[in-house]
Amino acid sequence: MSKVLLFGAGAVGSVYSYLFSKAGAAVTAVCRSNYSAAKANGFVIRSSLFGNVQCSPSIVRSVNDANANGPFDYVVLSSKAFPGSKPSTAETIKPAIGPKTAIALLQNGIGIEEEYREVFPDNLIISCVVYCPATEVESGVVEHGEVERLEIGTFPHNASVEHKQAANDFAELLRKAGGTVELHEDVQVPRWSKLLVNASWNPICALSRSSDVKFMLAAQSNVSWVRLVMLEIMAVAQAYGYSSINEELLDWQLGRAEARMNGPGIEPSMLADVKKGRRIEVEAIVGNTVRLAERKGVQVPLLASLYALAKGLDESIARSITGK
């Protein structure tokens, strides 16, 4: 029986706690704000895809508390990505990482794997691009939509044959429970593809406090302006050799938003976090992209401006949380 430690048992984490449990794994979940509800009732998931389901993993408050259930085959991070935080998430999970533990990153952003590679140079790192619309509507209760998909691959992409096989075993575990997993030779391709959307719409919507549709309708030039931001992201991806991140893909991604013009649109995660007074993933999604651009000499003035403004917003939220 595989042993899984889930770090970040919010909405998405709850869905994957259910899938790992259904696959027959022994799941331990580190919970914070939803600890009491999850300890009492497990996770209740109202899913358009899986139906109304419930799972009851072992619930703990910290990684140290989880160690009684180890050693773990997989440590799965579905928490928000805050690179550069002190202590880092990599340092926080260190007590749970054994020599054979695989670390799966179910997180947004680009370049997020490096801090884990620095701390765990010999462990398998599985980088995962997540498509799983889920919301925690009350403590321990999650509403999940009609999509659940992981696009995964090893980091680095040229990992050993042993690590490649272990990543495939991880995929098969989730497939056993009915999960959808696509294994990539280089998972940075789907990461950059999703980043076209995340690094543009997330800060734009958070800063304007608007859904994608409401922002596009706010001024005649806004759709063209969003496209210019996406072109900068595309240029960074191509500077790193990802030629498939091209204008055809860009226009397809932008077209998906334009197709929603007759509805209320989508509120990305950064906007949801701003509305709830939570810190935003500005470094993982926007800051890392700007820094990658600087390393290659790619000019990204619009993206850099969005980063500066979103970083200011995030620091403002941090001050309101701490009262400083």
Side-chain angles (χ1 to χ4, degrees):
M1 176 185 292
S2 297
K3 291 186 176 183
V4 177
L5 175 64
L6 191 82
F7 184 87
V12 171
S14 298
V15 173
Y16 283 97
S17 178
Y18 161 71
L19 287 173
F20 283 117
S21 297
K22 186 180 178 185
V27 180
T28 301
V30 178
C31 296
R32 286 176 288 185
S33 61
N34 58 355
Y35 172 83
S36 296
K39 188 75 171 177
N41 304 308
F43 299 122
V44 177
I45 303 164
R46 301 196 289 258
S47 171
S48 300
L49 186 61
F50 303 119
N52 294 331
V53 295
Q54 188 267 351
C55 67
S56 298
S58 174
I59 304 295
V60 297
R61 289 188 184 274
S62 70
V63 173
N64 285 331
D65 292 342
N67 277 343
N69 296 335
F72 295 102
D73 300 290
Y74 304 103
V75 171
V76 178
L77 283 84
S78 53
S79 58
K80 289 188 178 294
F82 294 112
S85 60
K86 301 295 182 183
S88 69
T89 305
E91 291 292 343
T92 300
I93 64 171
K94 198 170 185 178
I97 306 299
K100 296 295 185 181
T101 303
I103 303 161
L105 307 178
L106 278 66
Q107 297 176 311
N108 284 324
I110 200 75
I112 62 169
E113 302 92 350
E114 293 291 349
E115 70 176 49
Y116 297 92
R117 171 58 60 216
E118 289 177 9
V119 179
F120 309 110
D122 299 321
N123 290 79
L124 166 62
I125 295 174
I126 307 172
S127 185
C128 307
V129 181
V130 186
Y131 295 93
C132 183
T135 304
E136 190 172 36
V137 293
E138 59 183 277
S139 191
V141 180
V142 171
E143 289 187 353
H144 170 237
E146 297 178 351
V147 177
E148 178 282 314
R149 186 172 88 253
L150 290 184
E151 300 194 34
I152 78 169
T154 62
F155 181 84
H157 70 90
N158 57 348
S160 67
V161 173
E162 179 185 4
H163 279 184
K164 292 284 188 182
Q165 181 57 51
N168 185 69
D169 293 343
F170 177 83
E172 288 301 322
L173 182 63
L174 283 167
R175 289 171 183 151
K176 182 179 176 181
T180 302
V181 187
E182 184 175 346
L183 190 60
H184 290 263
E185 182 63 28
D186 187 352
V187 73
Q188 299 307 315
V189 175
R191 272 209 177 273
W192 279 108
S193 178
K194 188 174 181 181
L195 196 77
L196 277 176
V197 176
N198 270 355
S200 53
W201 282 120
N202 256 305
I204 288 168
C205 293
L207 290 164
S208 65
R209 298 182 71 90
S210 302
S211 71
D212 54 359
V213 166
K214 289 179 180 176
F215 180 80
M216 287 187 288
L217 293 173
Q220 188 174 3
S221 61
N222 278 6
V223 174
S224 297
W225 188 81
V226 173
R227 190 176 191 276
L228 291 174
V229 176
M230 288 184 167
L231 281 169
E232 291 186 353
I233 301 164
M234 182 196 79
V236 183
Q238 292 192 350
Y240 282 86
Y242 295 102
S243 58
S244 62
I245 311 302
N246 53 32
E247 289 195 51
E248 181 181 358
L249 175 63
L250 184 159
D251 288 330
W252 178 77
Q253 292 283 31
L254 185 57
R256 293 173 64 209
E258 292 181 281
R260 295 191 285 269
M261 281 291 203
N262 292 327
I266 287 177
E267 295 191 353
S269 60
M270 277 192 192
L271 176 55
D273 287 337
V274 168
K275 285 184 171 182
K276 293 183 179 180
R278 298 186 301 227
R279 299 198 69 174
I280 57 179
E281 294 178 287
V282 60
E283 295 295 351
I285 295 173
V286 190
N288 278 359
T289 312
V290 171
R291 285 183 283 274
L292 287 169
E294 290 172 348
R295 291 174 195 169
K296 291 289 187 178
V298 179
Q299 299 300 308
V300 288
L302 297 179
L303 197 64
S305 296
L306 284 172
Y307 171 56
L309 293 169
K311 183 65 175 176
L313 175 59
D314 183 57
E315 291 296 328
S316 174
I317 293 169
R319 290 192 297 272
S320 69
I321 291 171
T322 62
K324 296 180 180 179

